[in-house]
């Protein structure tokens, strides 16, 4: 089940006694948690009827006792288990036993970040008796449409390049990114305070919070422009901010792959829009890749990609450290 179906069920007051939230997108999951809580519990009695278990270790006896306690002056009691300890084998087994006797007045939500073992008895019980809700991170076009709807609600108009930069600079689409949709909500509020309806690329660059992804963009630009000194300064700044080099490498590889696509499509006299259509990339990302591709030969792109893949492999097998890989990356690509 996705969050849209859950939202429909909440509106229809179709509640389950047990939910598993598989959380990839925190903002939407928090929003649905609040919707469920508001639908189940009167605000005046929230302190009595809403409990959160989020410690490193959970007491199954306390959860069981609370589960069996009738709500105070309300119809429901809500228990949120927000701890990775819920995946502990022994705890999971005990929790599975007690929820078999869960009273109609109690609702339990298990909040799981990352995968939950589908082989466990607990997962199978929830699937049979409750609802499993998947809060997946948005893909590129779903994200853009969601942002456009929020912008429209603020009576704003953003240019295509402005939205493209907004998405790319956020780092939301990177594997392992902790950025959620709340970032965009906050930044759109800032843009609405500009006092103008039409927002362009320069407005977005001036207003939105500088994200680490934007610093990585600057590094890839420095590599493109063969500005070795600036690239090393940016790398040092990223290291100072505890950015994992593998995240930097992933962005560089993605940019090089996009540049390769641009080169190949231009040879076939195809357009940037063809790439957007065929590979579901954002037009802004393709536009910037095409600009960068003009400063690389075909051979240089191939060599840079092979270098990045080699560095990735050597880091993963422990043959090379991040710092050493960063130095090699900058020296070889910026001095091509």
């Amino acid at each position: 089940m996705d969050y849209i179906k859950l939202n429909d069920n909440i509106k229809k007051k179709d509640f389950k006694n047990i939910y598993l939230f598989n959380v990839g997108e925190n903002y939407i999951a928090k929003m649905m948690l609040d919707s469920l809580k508001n639908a189940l519990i009167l605000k005046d009695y929230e302190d009595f009827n809403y409990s959160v278990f989020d410690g490193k270790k959970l007491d199954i006896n306390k959860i069981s006792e609370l589960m069996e306690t009738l709500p105070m002056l309300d119809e429901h009691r809500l228990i949120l288990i927000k701890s990775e300890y819920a995946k502990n084998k022994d705890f999971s087994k005990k929790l599975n036993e007690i929820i078999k006797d869960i009273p109609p007045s109690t609702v339990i939500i298990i909040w799981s970040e990352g995968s939950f073992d589908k082989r466990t008895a607990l997962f199978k019980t929830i699937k049979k008796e409750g609802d499993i809700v998947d809060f997946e991170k948005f893909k590129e076009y779903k994200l853009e449409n969601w942002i456009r709807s929020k912008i429209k609600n603020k009576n704003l108009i953003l240019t295509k390049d402005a939205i493209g930069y907004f998405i790319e600079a956020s780092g939301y689409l990177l594997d392992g990114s902790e950025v959620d949709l709340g970032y965009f909500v906050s930044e759109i509020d800032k843009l609405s305070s500009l006092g103008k309806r039409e927002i362009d690329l320069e407005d977005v660059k001036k207003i939105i919070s500088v994200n680490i992804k934007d610093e990585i963009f600057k590094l890839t630009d420095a590599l493109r422009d063969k500005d070795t000194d600036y690239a090393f300064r940016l790398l040092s700044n990223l290291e100072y901010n505890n950015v994992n080099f593998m995240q930097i490498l992933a962005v560089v590889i993605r940019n090089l792959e996009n540049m390769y696509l641009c080169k190949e499509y231009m040879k076939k006299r195809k357009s940037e829009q063809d790439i957007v259509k065929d590979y579901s990339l954002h037009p802004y990302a393709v536009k910037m890749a095409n600009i960068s591709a003009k400063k690389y030969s075909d051979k240089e792109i191939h060599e840079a990609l092979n270098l990045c893949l080699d560095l990735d492999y050597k880091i993963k097998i422990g043959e090379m450290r991040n710092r050493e890989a960063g130095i090699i990356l900058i020296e070889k690509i910026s001095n091509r």
Side-chain angles (χ1 to χ4, degrees), residues 260 264 297-307:
Y260 171 77
E264 292 302 303
S297 68
D298 289 1
K299 182 182 178 183
E300 287 169 345
I301 291 177
H302 280 291
E303 288 178 347
L305 264 174
N306 287 334
L307 170 66

Side-chain angles (χ1 to χ4, degrees), residues 80-97:
L80 173 64
I81 300 175
K82 193 176 182 180
S83 169
E84 290 304 294
Y85 191 73
K87 298 176 185 177
N88 175 276
K89 186 177 180 180
D90 290 337
F91 177 84
S92 172
K93 186 177 179 180
K94 291 175 182 176
L95 182 60
N96 183 59
E97 289 302 315

Side-chain angles (χ1 to χ4, degrees), residues 117-152:
D117 193 342
K118 296 179 180 180
R119 299 168 297 177
T120 62
L122 177 59
F123 183 91
K124 292 173 183 176
T125 298
I126 298 171
K127 187 175 181 179
K128 181 180 178 182
E129 305 294 339
D131 277 333
I132 297 171
V133 189
D134 294 314
F135 296 94
E136 296 179 347
K137 294 202 79 168
F138 287 7
K139 301 297 183 183
E140 193 154 356
Y141 276 95
K142 186 175 181 179
L143 175 60
E144 181 176 348
N145 290 334
W146 185 87
I147 291 171
R148 286 188 182 280
S149 71
K150 296 300 177 185
I151 289 167
K152 186 177 180 180

Side-chain angles (χ1 to χ4, degrees), residues 208-245:
I208 68 169
S209 298
V210 175
N211 190 278
I212 290 301
K213 178 75 180 291
D214 192 45
E215 293 297 293
I216 302 176
F217 276 158
K218 292 177 183 176
L219 176 58
T220 60
D221 287 348
L223 295 176
R224 175 197 68 196
D225 298 333
K226 302 183 180 181
D227 192 341
T228 308
D229 291 341
Y230 185 43
F232 274 120
R233 289 202 302 273
L234 288 165
L235 179 62
S236 295
N237 184 49
L238 288 163
E239 288 174 340
Y240 179 78
N241 285 284
N242 297 316
V243 179
N244 191 312
F245 178 73

Side-chain angles (χ1 to χ4, degrees), residues 101-314:
D101 299 315
I102 189 169
S105 59
T106 296
V107 174
I108 295 177
I109 299 173
I110 301 172
W111 180 294
S112 172
E113 295 184 3
S115 59
F116 201 94
D117 193 342
K118 296 179 180 180
R119 299 168 297 177
T120 62
L122 177 59
F123 183 91
K124 292 173 183 176
T125 298
I126 298 171
K127 187 175 181 179
K128 181 180 178 182
E129 305 294 339
D131 277 333
I132 297 171
V133 189
D134 294 314
F135 296 94
E136 296 179 347
K137 294 202 79 168
F138 287 7
K139 301 297 183 183
E140 193 154 356
Y141 276 95
K142 186 175 181 179
L143 175 60
E144 181 176 348
N145 290 334
W146 185 87
I147 291 171
R148 286 188 182 280
S149 71
K150 296 300 177 185
I151 289 167
K152 186 177 180 180
N153 290 341
K154 292 285 186 180
N155 198 31
L156 297 175
I157 297 173
L158 264 69
T159 65
K160 185 177 287 188
D161 280 357
I163 291 180
Y165 176 83
F166 195 10
I167 292 171
E168 289 292 317
S170 72
Y172 180 92
L173 297 171
L174 281 178
D175 289 340
S177 171
E178 295 182 0
V179 178
D180 64 16
L181 296 177
Y183 166 83
F184 297 102
V185 173
S186 175
E187 299 307 314
I188 289 170
D189 284 341
K190 290 181 188 177
L191 292 171
S192 68
S193 69
L194 279 174
K196 54 189 293 190
R197 185 162 184 253
E198 295 189 13
I199 310 293
D200 61 21
L201 177 59
E202 292 307 312
D203 292 323
V204 172
K205 286 184 175 181
K206 289 175 186 175
I207 296 297
I208 68 169
S209 298
V210 175
N211 190 278
I212 290 301
K213 178 75 180 291
D214 192 45
E215 293 297 293
I216 302 176
F217 276 158
K218 292 177 183 176
L219 176 58
T220 60
D221 287 348
L223 295 176
R224 175 197 68 196
D225 298 333
K226 302 183 180 181
D227 192 341
T228 308
D229 291 341
Y230 185 43
F232 274 120
R233 289 202 302 273
L234 288 165
L235 179 62
S236 295
N237 184 49
L238 288 163
E239 288 174 340
Y240 179 78
N241 285 284
N242 297 316
V243 179
N244 191 312
F245 178 73
M246 297 301 281
Q247 186 177 354
I248 299 171
L249 195 59
V251 176
V252 175
I253 290 173
R254 183 183 178 188
N255 285 354
L256 288 166
E257 288 174 340
N258 288 348
M259 281 189 265
Y260 171 77
L261 285 176
C262 289
K263 287 273 191 185
E264 292 302 303
Y265 270 63
M266 296 309 124
K267 287 177 189 175
K268 298 173 184 177
R269 300 187 180 278
K270 291 188 175 183
S271 67
E272 292 178 3
Q273 193 56 41
D274 290 322
I275 302 174
V276 170
K277 181 181 177 181
D278 291 349
Y279 289 89
S280 299
L281 296 172
H282 193 279
Y284 179 79
V286 176
K287 176 183 174 181
M288 298 311 295
N290 201 20
I291 291 171
S292 294
K294 292 171 183 176
K295 294 200 174 185
Y296 288 81
S297 68
D298 289 1
K299 182 182 178 183
E300 287 169 345
I301 291 177
H302 280 291
E303 288 178 347
L305 264 174
N306 287 334
L307 170 66
C308 290
L309 295 173
D310 184 56
L311 293 175
D312 178 77
Y313 174 73
K314 287 180 177 177

